[in-house]
Amino acid sequence: MVRKIKAKLVLQLRNQGLSGRSIASAQGIARNSVQAVLDAADRLGVVWDDVAELSEAEVYAAVFPGRGVHESVFAQPDWPRVHTELARVGVTLKLLHQEYVDAASVAQATMSYDRFCRLYGEHAAVSGATSRVGHQAGRSIEVHWSGPTMQLLDPTTGELSRVYLFLVCLPFSRYAFVEASLDMKQESWLRAHTAMFAFFGGSVPRLVPDNLKTGVISHPKEGEVVLNDAYREMAAHYWAAVLPGRVRHPRDKSGAENTVSHVATWVIAGLRHEQFTSLAQLRLRIREQIDAYNREPFQKRDGSRLSVFTAEEKPLLQALPAAPFEISTWVYKRKVNANAHVVWAKNFYSVPFSHIGALVDLRVTETMMEVYRRDERLTSHLLLPATASNQYRTNEADLPEGRSFQAWDRGRIQEWAARVGPATAAVTAKIFETVFIDEAGFDAALAVLKLSRRFSPARLEAACALALRGPIRSPRYAHLRPILDTGQDKTGHTPEPEPDDGGYVRGGAYYAGGTR
């Protein structure tokens, strides 16, 4: 076909003095084709100097004007409109093709769905626009920890500490966000997400993270992904689902992966000559650099990351909740004690009494603690001060009627002891006299009183009376239990220890310096 002739090459070789026969022989081109180029150039007055700066395609069009240009018999879609509409939620190429067919006149043919998809791809490639297929506005956010890090300087010691960068990219607009953090632990991961949602001013249905343990516990090839509880709770707060990229498949979050290299240039390299002594100072400069990065015009299409985000993506984001997510810590398998309380940070918090003996999970925030059994929320409490110890938080609704489930204090313990008898009351009083705070005597006093359940209150009262007559200043459980086990409380006296007549005993002469 004449269309495939390299017309520019033919004219260049002729300009170098080669004949048509020599050009055909050297380049393996048919002589008739070479002659067709030379004849057309001579007829139009086209010489080598006229086309030296043109491309091969442009020279061919100049030598053979109109050749190879075919007018399509199909109605032509409005490709810029197709590109814009495809960004909207739920809009697909199939839907747009159907609308194109419905809008075309009866007299003009319409292209097939396959041709429609192929020509859209060509339009996106030629115009330099990112294809909308696979990336829809306001549908997903890709999150990632950057491999490259930065540093903070301690002005007092001169030591440098590492700073990690949390990277975010909206794959549709390529709009980016970066947050600096001192570590990559659970709390930092969640706080960075909270800052990200506030920065965007909205949420999306999908979060695409790495497979870090702070977000994903396991991601098997088969079966369901197991998410970290705190991360799943945070995503649910913002009405988002966590759909992590596959292990060793970086193309699943190509936007975030590409942002790493850009951040290395705009942030890390851009700030390499500056020294930072506080995290707040560093974060401020990073925000300024990322703002400039988002405003940088695209090289191959109109606009910038910021303009595409503002015009096409931000209106489609979901509204944020009224209150930001509160960072929490989960503590698993805490047993509910017999007094219907669970222990946290050396204090006691009530749980509905029907769950006594069960294992529960605690969700602890900066101000509150919630108690869960499986997926059921049982109760919640305001946290006691960090300085508190052995204190009780009790919801009356968690306990049955009566005093048996109320928190123990000195008055209640001494009231029980008085019901047993005066000697028992005296023993518990002496126990409290030996401790510096009342709470330290609770366990010892209750251990004594609980002996009345095993041996009866009368026997405990007799044992306490017997122990008080002895040399021990403050009798305890360890002194009373042997009296009850041996029945000494029934006889009313403690037997004298029997002398030990067994064994070898050295005489006085041994120690007087005599002979052995």
Side-chain angles (χ1 to χ4, degrees):
M1 294 178 60
V2 176
R3 184 178 180 180
K4 295 183 179 180
I5 300 173
K6 296 181 179 179
K8 182 178 181 179
L9 178 62
V10 171
L11 295 178
Q12 181 182 10
L13 294 176
R14 186 175 74 165
N15 185 61
Q16 294 173 359
L18 297 179
S19 65
R21 185 186 296 273
S22 299
I23 295 172
S25 176
Q27 299 298 321
I29 305 174
R31 291 177 56 190
N32 291 339
S33 299
V34 173
Q35 193 60 46
V37 173
L38 298 178
D39 290 345
D42 293 340
R43 184 172 62 255
L44 297 173
V46 176
V47 296
W48 170 247
D49 292 339
D50 298 332
V51 299
E53 302 298 327
L54 302 180
S55 66
E56 185 68 58
E58 291 172 332
V59 174
Y60 182 86
V63 174
F64 301 106
R67 180 181 294 188
V69 178
H70 301 285
E71 191 71 28
S72 176
V73 298
F74 300 114
Q76 294 300 303
D78 182 356
W79 292 119
R81 176 184 172 276
V82 170
H83 184 71
T84 301
E85 288 296 315
L86 195 57
R88 300 185 180 278
V89 177
V91 178
T92 63
L93 281 173
K94 186 71 174 177
L95 174 62
L96 293 174
H97 175 261
Q98 185 60 49
E99 292 177 351
Y100 151 76
V101 172
D102 295 340
S105 63
V106 179
Q108 194 170 9
T110 56
M111 63 183 69
S112 66
Y113 174 64
D114 290 341
R115 179 185 289 270
F116 185 88
C117 294
R118 178 170 56 81
L119 292 181
Y120 167 70
E122 293 177 359
H123 164 77
V126 171
S127 64
T130 302
S131 174
R132 301 302 196 202
V133 178
H135 295 307
Q136 293 185 328
R139 300 298 296 171
S140 64
I141 293 177
E142 297 175 1
V143 297
H144 187 76
W145 281 113
S146 166
T149 58
M150 301 184 73
Q151 291 181 327
L152 281 181
L153 173 68
D154 188 329
T156 57
T157 64
E159 295 182 0
L160 294 174
S161 58
R162 183 175 297 178
V163 177
Y164 302 88
L165 300 180
F166 174 79
L167 307 181
V168 180
C169 175
L170 290 165
F172 172 81
S173 62
R174 301 289 174 172
Y175 194 60
F177 169 74
V178 178
E179 180 79 339
S181 176
L182 295 177
D183 56 54
M184 295 191 293
K185 296 180 180 179
Q186 178 79 70
E187 185 171 336
S188 298
W189 173 256
L190 297 178
R191 289 190 186 280
H193 277 76
T194 303
M196 169 195 75
F197 284 117
F199 177 80
F200 289 146
S203 179
V204 298
R206 298 173 45 148
L207 281 175
V208 185
D210 272 336
N211 286 276
L212 296 175
K213 292 299 182 183
T214 50
V216 181
I217 294 177
S218 67
H219 190 171
K221 290 184 178 180
E222 297 182 0
E224 295 185 11
V225 176
V226 180
L227 300 177
N228 179 286
D229 284 341
Y231 191 47
R232 183 181 64 244
E233 181 184 5
M234 184 277 301
H237 181 80
Y238 290 102
W239 299 98
V242 178
L243 301 173
R246 292 170 295 173
V247 179
R248 291 185 291 276
H249 284 73
R251 299 181 75 177
D252 287 355
K253 45 184 177 55
S254 57
E257 297 288 349
N258 291 334
T259 302
V260 172
S261 61
H262 297 165
V263 166
T265 300
W266 282 82
V267 176
I268 300 177
L271 301 177
R272 68 188 184 279
H273 298 305
E274 299 183 34
Q275 196 69 259
F276 302 98
T277 58
S278 70
L279 191 61
Q281 179 190 17
L282 176 59
R283 284 176 174 173
L284 178 61
R285 290 292 290 120
I286 288 176
R287 290 288 179 93
E288 294 172 353
Q289 291 295 104
I290 288 299
D291 182 65
Y293 167 71
N294 286 327
R295 293 176 184 275
E296 179 75 5
F298 289 121
Q299 294 183 353
K300 296 183 179 179
R301 58 185 174 119
D302 295 335
S304 63
R305 293 169 178 83
L306 176 61
S307 64
V308 175
F309 169 75
T310 303
E312 301 184 44
E313 192 154 25
K314 189 172 183 179
L316 300 177
L317 296 182
Q318 301 172 158
L320 293 177
F325 178 72
E326 190 174 11
I327 308 300
S328 63
T329 301
W330 282 87
V331 182
Y332 300 100
K333 295 184 178 180
R334 287 295 177 95
K335 187 175 182 179
V336 181
N337 296 332
N339 63 353
H341 284 72
V342 66
V343 179
W344 169 250
K346 300 181 180 180
N347 292 300
F348 302 86
Y349 298 87
S350 67
V351 178
F353 71 94
S354 58
H355 299 279
I356 289 175
L359 297 179
V360 296
D361 302 328
L362 310 181
R363 177 181 176 267
V364 184
T365 68
E366 292 182 355
T367 58
M368 292 191 64
M369 184 192 75
E370 296 176 309
V371 182
Y372 287 82
R373 186 176 183 185
R374 302 183 184 92
D375 294 330
E376 180 186 1
R377 180 175 176 272
L378 304 181
T379 189
S380 64
H381 297 275
L382 288 174
L383 288 179
L384 288 160
T387 56
S389 179
N390 291 318
Q391 299 295 310
Y392 283 78
R393 282 273 197 221
T394 304
N395 293 331
E396 295 299 328
D398 292 340
L399 307 181
E401 295 182 1
R403 295 182 57 87
S404 59
F405 284 86
Q406 294 180 5
W408 288 105
D409 55 26
R410 180 171 179 174
R412 187 180 173 203
I413 291 173
Q414 290 184 324
E415 182 181 330
W416 182 5
R419 291 199 302 270
V420 176
T424 306
V427 168
T428 57
K430 287 180 176 295
I431 290 175
F432 282 114
E433 289 173 1
T434 62
V435 297
F436 59 97
I437 59 172
D438 290 346
E439 285 78 2
F442 287 177
D443 185 65
L446 288 172
V448 170
L449 293 173
K450 288 177 182 178
L451 288 171
S452 64
R453 297 173 178 172
R454 183 179 183 90
F455 296 99
S456 80
R459 289 194 62 187
L460 174 60
E461 174 65 14
C464 288
L466 187 60
L468 289 171
R469 294 200 298 266
I472 300 171
R473 180 175 178 274
S474 177
R476 302 286 184 113
Y477 173 90
H479 308 116
L480 299 171
R481 181 62 187 265
I483 295 175
L484 292 166
D485 285 339
T486 58
Q488 298 171 35
D489 57 296
K490 298 178 182 179
T491 61
H493 68 277
T494 304
E496 295 293 334
E498 297 180 359
D500 184 3
D501 296 333
Y504 176 79
V505 180
R506 295 184 175 93
Y510 177 85
Y511 298 99
T515 59
R516 296 184 180 180

